[in-house]
Amino acid sequence: AKQLGGNLVRHFVEQMALDYQRQVQLRNALQLALDKGELEVFYQPIYDTKTREIVALESLVRWREDGEFISPAEFIPIAENTGQIIPLGEQVLELVLRDIYQHPVLQQLQIGVNVSAQQLQRYDFASLIQARLAHHQINASNLTLELTEGVFVGEGKATVASLQALQDLGCSVAIDDFGTGFSSLSYLNRLPADVIKIDRAFTAGLNEDPELQAVVRGIIELCDYLGKTVVVEGVETAEQCEIFSQLGVQRLQGFYFARPMPLADVLKLLNS
Ligand code: C2E
Ligand code: CA
Ligand code: CA
Ligand code: CA
């Protein structure tokens, strides 16, 4: 037993060392990519449930190392730890605004950009957005800023104020991954948010789980009452599509409709 325990500990320590090595490697490689401006942006269409037309796009950062994509699920948390999320966020914003400026068809849609809580805390985020929008001559109403529920933990007054400032500019604010965090439904009405994005976890479990359906129905009714737009993420099947249509969700996003894709492919979709 002692031997087994020793092996386990050694295995664990080795694994930690490997993970750490990989993280240091990724952090350094990411810094090079940031310095050289190598990050790219893909877009995933978001559809109106009734008309089945594209009404919005979510921008998603992409990082290609030696021809292979590294998952944001792996490098975003590292960038959050190292503070690299700040320049990363700025670069993504520039790429997106440039795309919108160059392609008027994108000016008809709401374009979502993911924002880290750190970006709100680090500086006057609304002023940055205002300046970058002006620089690229883009309307604020063109932009939706997506923040995860986590930023609202503790109901930070400063957070609420900076989201309010974004809304005052004319941008939309979306709460991302809704349902996974610590929020309770009761504070939905106090959040300066226009859009609620129901997390993929709900979508995946919905058909077999009547209780989950009841929770989602509750969220949708409340959002309806509060005048917030509901988007469901991670729609992968016709069946899920059907369920959410019947529940009255306004917008759907997921592989069933379209995967995240390069701008050129989105433009083809929009023009077809
Ligand atoms: P997210 O904001 O929740 O973005 C949606 C993620 O779900 C994307 O993963 C997308 O590819 C994936 N997805 C969309 N539809 C489906 C589906 O039907 N099934 C499944 N299984 N997945 C689907 P991605 O691009 O790997 O991004 C992962 C996360 O990384 C994002 O989650 C977001 O939190 C973060 N992220 C991505 N781009 C940025 C960025 O520019 N800035 C920041 N701060 N975070 C970003
Ligand atoms: Ca998002
Ligand atoms: Ca999400
Ligand atoms: Ca997520």
Side-chain angles (χ1 to χ4, degrees):
K2 196 173 168 212
Q3 182 57 38
L4 181 64
N7 281 337
L8 271 176
V9 168
R10 199 177 65 220
H11 177 77
F12 182 69
V13 169
E14 278 170 5
Q15 192 55 49
M16 268 179 44
L18 278 178
D19 290 350
Y20 181 71
Q21 253 177 32
R22 165 104 178 137
Q23 284 197 23
V24 171
Q25 257 172 23
L26 281 180
R27 173 207 298 178
N28 293 336
L30 179 60
Q31 192 55 49
L32 283 178
L34 286 167
D35 292 343
K36 294 196 235 158
E38 286 176 348
L39 296 180
E40 303 165 44
V41 165
F42 274 22
Y43 295 93
Q44 186 177 30
I46 299 173
Y47 290 77
D48 181 274
T49 309
K50 287 199 184 111
T51 66
R52 296 292 161 101
E53 279 175 7
I54 298 173
V55 288
L57 301 173
E58 176 173 4
S59 66
L60 294 157
V61 67
R62 290 294 178 264
W63 176 23
R64 228 187 285 245
E65 259 295 86
D66 303 324
E68 273 184 41
F69 286 109
I70 300 174
S71 167
E74 188 169 26
F75 69 82
I76 291 288
I78 294 175
E80 297 260 9
N81 280 333
T82 59
Q84 288 167 314
I85 195 71
I86 301 287
L88 184 153
E90 288 170 359
Q91 289 188 17
V92 167
L93 181 69
E94 289 304 301
L95 290 171
V96 170
L97 293 179
R98 208 183 57 192
D99 284 345
I100 298 175
Y101 175 75
Q102 288 175 350
H103 302 280
V105 67
L106 301 183
Q107 292 159 20
Q108 317 299 317
L109 306 173
Q110 279 188 318
I111 315 289
V113 173
N114 289 289
V115 175
S116 153
Q118 283 185 54
Q119 291 176 272
L120 288 189
Q121 290 151 6
R122 192 64 80 83
Y123 40 51
D124 184 350
F125 187 64
S127 294
L128 173 86
I129 293 288
Q130 185 173 30
R132 299 326 295 160
L133 285 169
H135 177 87
H136 293 276
Q137 301 167 11
I138 310 282
N139 284 328
S141 60
N142 218 172
L143 205 61
T144 301
L145 301 155
E146 299 195 0
L147 290 129
T148 54
E149 260 182 288
V151 303
F152 303 102
V153 171
E155 296 181 63
K157 277 205 181 103
T159 306
V160 171
S162 53
L163 297 187
Q164 185 72 59
L166 288 169
Q167 286 184 321
D168 291 345
L169 280 182
C171 295
S172 296
V173 172
I175 304 185
D176 208 353
D177 302 347
F178 189 80
T180 58
F182 309 89
S183 60
S184 67
L185 285 183
S186 64
Y187 84 26
L188 251 184
N189 65 329
R190 279 182 280 142
L191 292 181
D194 311 278
V195 178
I196 303 297
K197 300 191 77 174
I198 298 184
D199 192 70
R200 200 162 82 219
F202 284 92
T203 316
L206 206 71
N207 2 12
E208 311 93 51
D209 193 336
E211 276 176 42
L212 208 55
Q213 284 202 25
V215 172
V216 172
R217 190 172 292 126
I219 295 173
I220 292 164
E221 270 175 26
L222 189 54
C223 286
D224 231 28
Y225 176 74
L226 297 170
K228 299 186 192 301
T229 302
V230 177
V231 181
V232 164
E233 305 187 292
V235 176
E236 293 183 353
T237 67
E239 192 184 5
Q240 288 165 352
C241 199
E242 183 55 31
I243 293 174
F244 286 113
S245 302
Q246 282 177 7
L247 287 174
V249 168
Q250 291 104 325
R251 294 181 183 180
L252 303 171
Q253 175 181 8
F255 294 170
Y256 176 71
F257 292 96
R259 289 180 176 256
M261 59 184 90
L263 177 68
D265 294 345
V266 178
L267 293 175
K268 273 184 222 151
L269 256 189
L270 288 170
N271 291 321
S272 65

